[in-house]
Structures are given as C-alpha cells and as structure tokens.
Amino acid sequence: MVRFKQNNIAIVGAGPSGVYCALNILKEFKERKFNSFTVTLFDKSEPLKTLLKTGGGRCNITNSISDIKDFASNYPRGEKFLYSLFSRHSNIDTINYFSSIGIKTYTQSDNRVFPVSNSAKYVRNKMLDELFKSKNIKIVKKRINSIKDIQNFDAIVVSNGSKDSENLIKSTGQKYIPFKKALCSLIINDFDCPMGVSVKSLDGEFIFTKNAISGPLAFKISSINAFKSFPYDIKINLFESEKLLDLAKKYPKKSIGNLVSSFIPRALAKRTVKNFDINAAEASKNILKSYSFLTLNVKAASPSGEIVNAGGIDLCAVDKNCKSKTTDNLWFCGEILNIDGFCGGFNLQNCWSSAYVVAIDVVSFIIKKNNGVV
Ligand SMILES: Cc1cc2nc3c(=O)[nH]c(=O)nc-3n(C[C@H](O)[C@H](O)[C@H](O)COP(=O)(O)OP(=O)(O)OC[C@H]3O[C@@H](n4cnc5c(N)ncnc54)[C@H](O)[C@@H]3O)c2cc1C
C-alpha cells in the first residue's frame, strides 16, 4: 500500500467551523476504522474564542425551522447553495451531534435553539474536550499568512472566518467577493434618535442607540443592503393606520399624539407626530391615514459594529463539497464562504453544515489517495 504522504490535514482557523470540521473528520475516520492521519488546527488566537460572545454569551446554536427551503430563505447570500449542505447536515443533525457530546439544547418560542446550560463557554469546553480525546489532533497557535506556509499538507481546510482572511484568500488564488459588513447597527444622522427606546414595528423590533438603530430589524436591513452604498434610505412601517382610525373614532377627544403613543413609544411619537396635541376629532380620516408618523423614514449613514460579514469565497469557485474547483486539496467552510444569514442561529448553522460536508469529503479524499486501503 502506498501511503499518501503522512495523511496530514491542516485546518486554518479554530473557530466554530474549523473545530466542527476537525470533530467530524475524527468521527468519520473512526467510523471508517482509519487511524493513520493527523489533523493540525492552526489558530492565531485561542480555539473557539469567537464562540464565547455568540448569542450574548448564551450561544444561539441554530434555529428550529424544519423545512430546508424555509431555513435557507434566511440567508441573503448562499440560499440555493445551502439546500445541498442542509440536505446532508441539517439543524437536526447538528442538535443530535451536540447532544451526543453532552450539549443538550432547548428551543425558544421564536425558534432559536440554545444550549440548556445557556452558556457559550460550556459549548466551547465540551467541543474542546471532545477534540482532545483524540491523539490525532494538534492545535498550533500560529497565524497563517499564506497558503504557501502550509503547502506540505495533504489536505487543507481554510476556515478562518471573515475578519482577517483576505490575504490568505488571495494567496489561494480563488475567486472571492470583498467583504462588507452585515448584521450591524446603522448610524442615523438625520433623525434625533430617542436613545434606549425599543420599538415593535410592523417590520420587526429595533432599538435606538445614541445615534443609530440597532436590534433584529436593523441587523436585517443592514444584511439585505450589505452591498448597497451608504447613505441609503430606510422606511420602517411602524403601525397600521386602520388601528389608529379605530382609536380615533373611539376617543375623539384624545390628542393624536396620545393615540399614536399607544402603538409606538411616546418618545418616538413626540419626534414623529408634528401636531402632537391636535384632537383626533379635528383631524380628518385622510389626514390620519396619510400622516407621516405611520412610517419612520431615515437615512442609514454608515454601518457600526458588524456581527458577520457578507462576501468571501465565491460559491462558483467551489463544488458542492465546498472544495476548490481549481486546487485539488483545498476546501473552505464557515463564514469565509460567501454565505451569511440573519440573526437567529443561521450563521452558526452555516458553519456546522459546511464544516460537516467538508469533513466527509476530506476523509474520502485521504482514503481514496491511500488507494482505498483502510
Ligand atoms: C457578537 C457576535 C455574536 C454572534 N452570535 C451568534 C449567534 O448567537 N448565533 C449565530 O448563528 N451566529 C452568531 N454570530 C456569528 C458567528 O459567530 C460567526 O458566523 C461564526 O463565528 C463564524 O465562524 P467561523 O469559524 O467561520 O469563523 P470565526 O468564528 O471568525 O473563526 C475564525 C478563526 O480563525 C482564526 N484566524 C483568523 N485568521 C487567521 C489566520 N490568518 N491564521 C490563523 N488563524 C486565523 C481566528 O482567530 C478565529 O479563531 C455572532 C457573531 C458575533 C460577532
């Protein structure tokens, strides 16, 4: 039997995608009773450090939406590519895997899935404990600046996220889309933001910070518009005019300002309703319906504090296993791919699913190179 060099696998980046890929490589080799390999995880920092801040420290592992297409519709970039990844490793497969290593989960009423421990630190520790059970794993604290630094490895997985990866991507020669901030707050300069006020609008929830809007709706808007140039217009539907008309009929002596304050916080109503003190009876139906306070019209001036980045390895440059179409031993998984989702566990699920698919393909590649002899 001719061994394929030393069966050395390099994974660059020990974030969620890199570590999950390593765990599944170990599992797959074990199931295929193949033991002569080494997985080296390179990270410039501590392994799974990025997981610690997820979900506000609780780690929103995934989302419970059961239909693959519905699930994938939560990704402004990568939707169709993900059908194939999710069909091979879904949110349920992820939940089952985590359960198998002692991470039990629960689902919130909004479909977000969290560990029962409510602790990202617990998830991190359990994943690392599982990793260190294997003698085939090595973690090396090192920044990889170029693919040339690891060219002696038989298989290379690049999973170093989107924050510091452009140089490494360029060194691989793969086609990529420059990163843009997504899931971020939006700085607003043309409106006096009532700081700390949170709003449940018809389009979703958001919160005003000092000079920005933040929270789920702001993140969603920023994500959809990730490749739009700043400044751009935002229109948020605050509440239904019909409901205001009903109230106006019921309480004709109340001021419009007070009526509007039953749908949106008073601090916001004060800033949006011009004639706050006019009685409802004095305002005609048309005026009530056409009042600008039904929508919040502002300009997003710039992004602030991104959670993920849009952009990354062009999905046309990889096959369905996230393997480079031009380099025989190179794979990508996680946020470095041009895939990003909304808030709700979707970004981590991209990491888990792409990492799993890569792991299975890497193992097949190594075993095949060993002439199929295990
Ligand atoms: C505050 C915050 C909260 C979030 N909460 C959630 C959540 O609850 N649910 C969810 O689904 N998503 C969440 N996300 C998004 C999620 O964390 C990311 O999508 C995910 O971490 C991406 O994983 P990754 O492994 O692909 O990359 P990363 O997590 O970015 O990991 C990359 C790793 O590579 C290392 N690295 C980088 N460059 C190099 C190099 N040149 N050489 C060696 N090592 C390198 C880094 O040190 C890092 O460890 C959150 C993001 C943030 C910022």
Side-chain angles (χ1 to χ4, degrees):
M1 179 182 75
V2 181
R3 285 246 173 257
F4 181 56
K5 296 186 192 166
Q6 300 295 309
N7 297 325
N8 283 333
I9 300 160
I11 301 182
V12 184
S17 58
V19 171
Y20 200 76
C21 186
L23 287 168
N24 280 286
I25 287 175
L26 297 174
K27 185 169 179 270
E28 185 67 10
F29 271 134
K30 195 173 176 188
E31 278 166 17
R32 295 173 77 160
K33 299 190 172 38
F34 186 100
N35 195 34
S36 48
F37 69 94
T38 307
V39 176
T40 307
L41 263 166
F42 292 97
D43 202 293
K44 62 177 185 175
S45 176
E46 301 304 319
L48 289 181
K49 197 175 166 192
T50 53
L51 193 71
L52 290 174
K53 55 189 174 188
T54 58
R58 288 168 61 214
C59 186
N60 180 191
I61 287 178
T62 184
N63 194 285
S64 69
I65 294 175
S66 55
D67 181 81
I68 284 179
K69 286 196 173 173
D70 289 346
F71 201 107
S73 70
N74 287 282
Y75 296 80
R77 282 146 296 268
E79 179 176 356
K80 295 225 166 88
F81 188 85
L82 285 165
Y83 294 168
S84 160
L85 300 191
F86 291 159
S87 68
R88 285 174 283 165
H89 195 76
S90 68
N91 51 350
I92 303 297
D93 296 320
T94 301
I95 289 168
N96 288 341
Y97 177 76
F98 279 127
S99 172
S100 77
I101 62 166
I103 303 166
K104 306 287 176 207
T105 54
Y106 72 96
T107 305
Q108 283 188 172
S109 57
D110 61 0
N111 292 335
R112 292 174 192 224
V113 177
F114 287 90
V116 168
S117 62
N118 275 321
S119 162
K121 194 174 170 194
Y122 180 85
V123 176
R124 177 189 193 233
N125 290 346
K126 280 282 178 193
M127 288 177 79
L128 292 181
D129 285 351
E130 187 64 21
L131 203 60
F132 292 126
K133 277 184 192 166
S134 171
K135 289 192 179 99
N136 303 66
I137 196 90
K138 268 199 249 172
I139 296 197
V140 177
K141 191 167 184 174
K142 185 179 176 191
R143 169 194 282 272
I144 303 299
N145 296 310
S146 161
I147 203 77
K148 284 191 184 137
D149 299 351
I150 44 174
Q151 64 189 359
N152 290 332
F153 283 81
D154 303 301
I156 297 169
V157 179
V158 180
S159 56
N160 64 328
S162 64
K163 306 286 185 297
D164 182 21
S165 46
E166 291 212 7
N167 284 344
L168 186 56
I169 292 178
K170 279 182 195 157
S171 77
T172 67
Q174 304 299 304
K175 198 171 165 208
Y176 81 102
I177 292 139
F179 292 109
K180 291 276 178 192
K181 292 177 186 205
L183 292 189
C184 53
S185 302
L186 295 166
I187 304 285
I188 307 292
N189 292 330
D190 62 343
F191 184 72
D192 174 22
C193 296
M195 189 177 160
V197 168
S198 59
V199 184
K200 280 187 183 165
S201 78
L202 295 177
D203 300 333
E205 289 182 34
F206 64 97
I207 183 163
F208 287 101
T209 59
K210 194 177 169 206
N211 59 348
I213 56 166
S214 190
L217 180 62
F219 295 155
K220 193 169 183 172
I221 294 170
S222 70
S223 173
I224 290 167
N225 296 306
F227 287 97
K228 216 173 184 174
S229 318
F230 285 95
Y232 59 77
D233 293 325
I234 303 175
K235 180 179 171 185
I236 299 174
N237 293 297
L238 293 172
F239 58 94
E240 287 167 33
S241 62
E242 293 307 320
K243 289 197 173 159
L244 181 65
L245 289 173
D246 287 349
L247 269 194
K249 247 189 248 162
K250 218 168 160 187
Y251 304 107
K253 288 189 179 160
K254 278 203 174 186
S255 75
I256 299 175
N258 279 338
L259 295 183
V260 170
S261 300
S262 45
F263 302 109
I264 57 174
R266 198 173 176 82
L268 176 58
K270 284 226 159 184
R271 285 163 168 81
T272 51
V273 181
K274 277 187 197 132
N275 301 310
F276 196 89
D277 295 321
I278 287 186
N279 277 353
E282 285 172 42
S284 75
K285 198 172 171 176
N286 280 347
I287 288 175
L288 280 174
K289 261 195 172 176
S290 65
Y291 262 12
S292 58
F293 50 70
L294 295 172
T295 57
L296 178 68
N297 298 293
V298 287
K299 246 187 215 322
S302 55
S304 162
E306 79 282 6
I307 293 178
V308 296
N309 284 302
I313 294 292
D314 191 330
L315 299 177
C316 297
V318 291
D319 69 9
K320 67 182 174 63
N321 298 317
C322 306
K323 183 181 178 185
S324 162
K325 285 180 181 168
T326 51
T327 308
D328 187 41
N329 65 340
L330 180 65
W331 288 258
F332 298 90
C333 60
E335 207 179 302
I336 198 167
L337 290 164
N338 182 25
I339 298 175
D340 60 280
F342 296 138
C343 282
F346 299 106
N347 287 296
L348 282 177
Q349 188 59 53
N350 164 44
C351 293
W352 315 135
S353 295
S354 57
Y356 172 84
V357 163
V358 167
I360 301 303
D361 203 41
V362 166
V363 170
S364 296
F365 172 84
I366 292 286
I367 290 180
K368 203 169 151 202
K369 289 283 184 186
N370 281 271
N371 301 325
V373 180
V374 295

